[in-house]
Amino acid sequence: MALRSLEIGIVGCGIAGQAAARFLADAGHVVTLLERFEQPHAVGAGLLLQPTGLSVLRALGIEQDALAAGARIDGLVGENQWGIRVIDLAYGDLHPATFGLGIRRSALFDLLHRRVLVSGVRLVTGVEIVDVEREGARAVALDRKAGRHGPFDLLVVADGSHSALRQRVFPRSRAPLYPWGCMWTTVPDTQAFGAVRLLRQRFAGTSNMMGILPVAPHRVTLFWSLPTAELEADRPLDLEAMRRDALSLWPDAAPIVERAVAAGDFSRATYRHVSLPRWAEGPVLFIGDAAHGTSPQLGQGANLGLLDAHALGRSLAEAGDLAQAMDLFAQRRGPPNRFYGTASHLLTPFFQSHHDLLAIPRDLVLPRACQIAPLRRRLTGVLAGLRRGWRSADSLDADGRYRL
Ligand SMILES: Cc1cc2nc3c(=O)[nH]c(=O)nc-3n(C[C@H](O)[C@H](O)[C@H](O)COP(=O)(O)OP(=O)(O)OC[C@H]3O[C@@H](n4cnc5c(N)ncnc54)[C@H](O)[C@@H]3O)c2cc1C
């Protein structure tokens, strides 16, 4: 027997929250979406959607629009300062029809938001939720101005990696800030980076890293790695130092770097490595970065959040009661979320850290691994979001697409 017509509150009108709102409203639940911004909007530049995330967009009916707005990506290439190819992965090794999609966060946000606005979801903006209270078996969300929202049969927390509610609900949760983050922006693709359909990275040691991702026809997102201390909100970004280091690391990208520095329109991003003892506490469920935020080194966060949203809809549809639905959700999402959390955490210091010596094993081992076909396929499977654990993985269907 399926759970029908629950009153569901969702905190956070981001990627995971909006996808969940749409799936749950379509299934007949009464959904209220609570967002701190008066005008919900995307923050940051562009991201890479994996075959996993694209299959969720397909289920939401927005895959074709996303493909039109974004830029097809066929693989990932990373080179060190000497031009040695350290990483070289191609989705085509999994299936000739498989690919990723670079997309501006604002474009993805708009597609999801339009879906939400026509779905019957009640959108409440300008409410910063700071606490949760239990009312019997139900949950009430409390905002900063002492407003009460609910009670809800289920409260889904999707308020991102810097979640205010995580500590309130799980006092023993851990979410340390990484010592490194990045500045990022989107600029015109004056060098035709989009034509080669790759996420490209350059690194020197572990303290200099830059990425260029095509995210739309004739637009690329540029990432520049920085210690978190240099990203503090009240500290001006040292664009001249960035320009100097970026030009020496990647001379071919000079026009893009110059354009980005001249525009000066960088966002700052910091990451947390989030680990929760479990995903749900009674009627409160955590999804997306609030539940399992990581560094973006493996390009998975948005994809994992989209998969969480889909799995939640499916678990509620299959379960006889809420506790069973939460168990089903944990069975579906626990293994891959934990795998990608751990893998990102282990890998990040090899690309972003003060431990420059870690670049030596990185630059020795990864190029060789990328030349051994089974290993290269396995690494590409990690990138494509297919792993469920160290020993198990999902496979693609006959058309090279991820089957939900
Ligand atoms: C530099 C960078 C590059 C990245 N690249 C990739 C990539 O290539 N591929 C990929 O898959 N992922 C990538 N990610 C990760 C991805 O951006 C996140 O995983 C994704 O945005 C998480 O979605 P979410 O819905 O969980 O949280 P968010 O997108 O952060 O949304 C949270 C929402 O909650 C709202 N909110 C926050 N607090 C409250 C509150 N107290 N009350 C009410 N509302 C609140 C926020 O305003 C926001 O709308 C990248 C991240 C960074 C920083």
Side-chain angles (χ1 to χ4, degrees):
M1 189 187 62
L3 282 168
R4 295 218 185 279
S5 240
L6 296 181
E7 295 250 2
I8 300 180
I10 301 178
V11 182
C13 183
I15 295 170
Q18 296 201 88
R22 177 70 205 215
F23 281 127
L24 298 176
D26 282 355
H29 301 292
V30 179
V31 179
T32 303
L33 184 53
L34 304 161
E35 166 61 39
R36 67 179 164 173
F37 290 135
E38 290 291 349
Q39 281 291 332
H41 60 271
V43 177
L47 51 76
L48 177 60
L49 288 175
Q50 306 296 349
T52 47
L54 285 173
S55 65
V56 179
L57 299 192
R58 193 175 316 132
L60 286 165
I62 55 177
E63 185 192 29
Q64 290 309 318
D65 291 336
L67 294 179
R72 178 182 160 131
I73 299 297
D74 289 334
L76 162 64
V77 165
E79 293 171 345
N80 66 14
Q81 69 272 42
W82 299 293
I84 293 171
R85 205 163 261 211
V86 174
I87 310 173
D88 185 359
L89 302 176
Y91 293 108
D93 285 340
L94 300 173
H95 188 290
T98 304
F99 60 90
L101 185 77
I103 190 165
R104 279 173 296 170
R105 291 176 71 99
S106 55
L108 179 61
F109 178 90
D110 288 347
L111 290 174
L112 289 167
H113 202 56
R114 264 185 257 144
R115 280 327 242 182
V116 164
L117 292 178
V118 295
S119 63
V121 169
R122 186 170 153 254
L123 177 61
V124 182
T125 61
V127 286
E128 186 181 355
I129 306 302
V130 290
D131 208 352
V132 179
E133 235 175 42
R134 290 286 288 272
E135 214 176 273
R138 308 176 88 199
V140 177
L142 309 179
D143 70 39
R144 188 169 287 289
K145 296 177 187 154
R148 297 171 67 82
H149 307 268
F152 300 108
D153 300 310
L154 171 64
L155 183 68
V156 179
V157 181
D159 59 350
S161 68
H162 303 296
S163 170
L165 294 180
R166 192 168 41 225
Q167 202 68 30
R168 303 295 305 161
V169 176
F170 291 114
R172 292 175 59 201
S173 63
R174 294 184 58 246
L177 200 61
Y178 274 98
W180 286 71
C182 80
M183 55 197 255
W184 49 335
T185 188
T186 297
V187 287
D189 180 12
T190 50
Q191 301 308 97
F193 272 88
V196 290
R197 295 179 169 179
L198 292 171
L199 164 56
R200 295 181 61 189
Q201 295 180 334
R202 276 283 167 100
F203 11 82
T206 58
S207 46
N208 269 331
M209 184 179 83
M210 176 174 160
I212 294 184
L213 172 69
V215 289
H218 315 298
R219 309 280 291 176
V220 290
T221 285
L222 181 153
F223 306 84
W224 180 255
S225 171
L226 280 177
T228 302
E230 292 182 35
L231 291 163
E232 281 168 9
D234 53 356
R235 185 169 164 166
L237 292 170
D238 188 348
L239 293 186
E240 189 41 44
M242 179 266 173
R243 178 179 167 280
R244 187 191 57 234
D245 293 346
L247 292 184
S248 109
L249 181 62
W250 201 342
D252 293 348
I256 285 175
V257 173
E258 297 286 12
R259 192 91 179 231
V261 170
D265 188 24
F266 285 93
S267 305
R268 307 164 193 231
T270 54
Y271 333 131
R272 288 180 188 275
H273 176 61
V274 177
S275 80
L276 295 186
R278 55 194 173 278
W279 313 114
E281 175 67 34
V284 183
L285 174 73
F286 283 72
I287 66 170
D289 274 13
H292 45 71
T294 63
S295 91
Q297 200 57 51
L298 285 172
Q300 299 297 325
N303 297 278
L304 295 175
L306 288 166
L307 288 166
D308 286 354
H310 181 265
L312 174 57
R314 212 165 134 191
S315 301
L316 288 174
E318 289 171 7
D321 60 36
L322 193 63
Q324 197 187 359
M326 296 300 95
D327 285 348
L328 280 174
F329 177 86
Q331 282 165 29
R332 287 201 163 100
R333 299 303 308 143
N337 287 340
R338 269 192 288 277
F339 170 82
Y340 279 104
T342 308
S344 289
H345 194 51
L346 292 177
L347 204 66
T348 300
F350 289 88
F351 294 88
Q352 290 189 280
S353 71
H354 292 289
H355 310 298
D356 270 308
L357 287 179
L358 287 177
I360 297 171
R362 178 195 71 196
D363 292 2
L364 285 174
V365 172
L366 274 178
R368 285 166 181 78
C370 289
Q371 280 164 8
I372 300 169
L375 271 180
R376 179 176 148 106
R377 243 194 326 277
R378 200 178 164 97
L379 290 172
T380 310
V382 174
L383 173 69
L386 303 183
R387 300 300 309 178
R388 289 193 62 76
W390 296 101
R391 291 181 180 197
S392 58
D394 291 327
S395 45
L396 298 168
D397 67 14
D399 298 321
R401 305 198 299 194
Y402 180 79
R403 199 192 297 266
L404 287 169

